[in-house]
Amino acid sequence: MVDVVDSAGAGADTPDEAKLRRAVPSWVITVGSLVVLLGAWEIFGRDINPVFGSYPSAIAEAFWQLARSGKLWTALLDSLRPFFLGYGLAILIGVPVGLITGRFRTVEAAIGIYITAGYAMPLVALVPLLVLWLGLGFAVKVAVVFLMSVFPICINTWLGVTAVPKTLIEVGKSFVAPNSVILRRIILPATLPYIMAGIRLAVGRAVVAMVIAEFFTSISGLGAIIITSANNFDTATMFVPIVVLMVMAIGLNYLIGAIERWVAPWQAEIAGRDE
């Protein structure tokens, strides 16, 4: 028994080692990871045929050329307008629908099956039908972004409401609070982490939906740069909007995380996560 305890203790970190590990900021680890990845990509990417791949320095050069000509910023603006409108509508509609669905059993029985089916349905297959309904312009792009991002928000909010402890709701009922007050003052704050998680998940789907909409409708924005560059076998230029979209999604994810820490500061205190 003594040997087992000693062997287990030998692998444990000492207090100084644990403090040193925690003292390394997260951004240092992230930057180190990026440096390693980009360095390996730069070294091995140069041996790849430019038709089949590219490497960071070539992509950076293509980015500079697109940015200097203004083509990149025009395309980015064309893509962001339907993205933010569709994504914003998804939040404005998805959160209330999820709250009501999770709070009231009748509503859950009536529309819960449609929310689940909508999340699982291949919405890309509906794009040609949406084009017939809404045309090839701005409206259909907003609709595609909305439909692909609203269901994760709905489902996460719905599950968050069902996870609220029953005792919290009973406290509100004991003070004879109406359902609207219970929903606004008790259920909504308790559900915020789930809502923010759904909004984070929806960011990735909204970005994908934006590009899909540009592929299947009037070819414009960042999707137009991707298609044109691919048709010209200009792989480095093709990677530019892809990297821009990835950086945009990461930035939005961090922004949503900052908003979550602002509106629900207690969540970080009760999570028990090592910083």
Side-chain angles (χ1 to χ4, degrees):
M1 178 63 68
V2 174
D3 292 338
V4 173
V5 173
D6 289 342
S7 62
D13 289 337
T14 64
D16 291 339
E17 290 174 343
K19 183 184 294 186
L20 180 62
R21 189 179 68 250
R22 289 195 299 268
V24 179
S26 297
W27 67 267
V28 174
I29 301 174
T30 302
V31 171
S33 174
L34 284 173
V35 169
V36 171
L37 174 63
L38 293 177
W41 186 7
E42 180 74 24
I43 293 171
F44 295 106
R46 290 179 176 272
D47 296 330
I48 301 175
N49 190 318
V51 174
F52 301 109
S54 188
Y55 46 91
S57 60
I59 297 172
E61 183 179 354
F63 172 86
W64 172 249
Q65 296 296 333
L66 286 175
R68 188 174 61 177
S69 66
K71 184 178 179 181
L72 177 62
W73 311 123
T74 302
L76 182 61
L77 181 61
D78 288 342
S79 297
L80 289 181
R81 287 189 297 128
F83 170 82
F84 280 117
L85 182 56
Y87 183 58
L89 288 174
I91 296 174
L92 291 176
I93 295 175
V95 172
V97 170
L99 287 172
I100 296 172
T101 303
R103 179 69 183 97
F104 302 105
R105 182 182 60 84
T106 304
V107 178
E108 180 179 3
I111 69 173
I113 186 173
Y114 303 117
I115 295 174
T116 305
Y119 179 75
M121 181 174 58
L123 294 172
V124 178
L126 292 181
V127 174
L129 183 60
L130 293 174
V131 169
L132 292 176
W133 291 347
L134 302 173
L136 294 171
F138 180 78
V140 69
K141 296 178 182 180
V142 174
V144 173
V145 173
F146 170 79
L147 288 175
M148 288 195 67
S149 56
V150 69
F151 293 109
I153 299 174
C154 274
I155 290 179
N156 265 61
T157 306
W158 172 13
L159 294 178
V161 174
T162 60
V164 175
K166 186 179 180 181
T167 52
L168 293 179
I169 299 175
E170 290 176 347
V171 168
K173 289 182 177 179
S174 67
F175 285 96
V176 200
N179 279 327
S180 59
V181 174
I182 292 175
L183 191 64
R184 188 175 68 254
R185 297 291 183 87
I186 297 176
I187 295 178
L188 179 59
T191 312
L192 273 176
Y194 291 86
I195 295 174
M196 302 309 292
I199 293 174
R200 283 190 178 194
L201 291 174
V203 166
R205 290 175 65 97
V207 170
V208 173
M210 177 183 69
V211 178
I212 289 174
E214 292 174 343
F215 282 175
F216 283 87
T217 61
S218 59
I219 300 177
S220 62
L222 296 176
I225 297 179
I226 294 174
I227 291 179
T228 303
S229 303
N231 290 338
N232 293 331
F233 300 102
D234 187 358
T235 310
T237 303
M238 185 191 72
F239 268 104
V240 171
I242 295 174
V243 173
V244 169
L245 291 173
M246 292 170 62
V247 172
M248 184 183 75
I250 293 171
L252 288 173
N253 189 57
Y254 276 105
L255 176 61
I256 294 168
I259 295 173
E260 180 181 5
R261 289 189 294 272
W262 177 58
V263 299
W266 63 85
Q267 183 61 27
E269 297 178 1
I270 67 176
R273 182 176 179 269
D274 293 335
E275 296 295 338

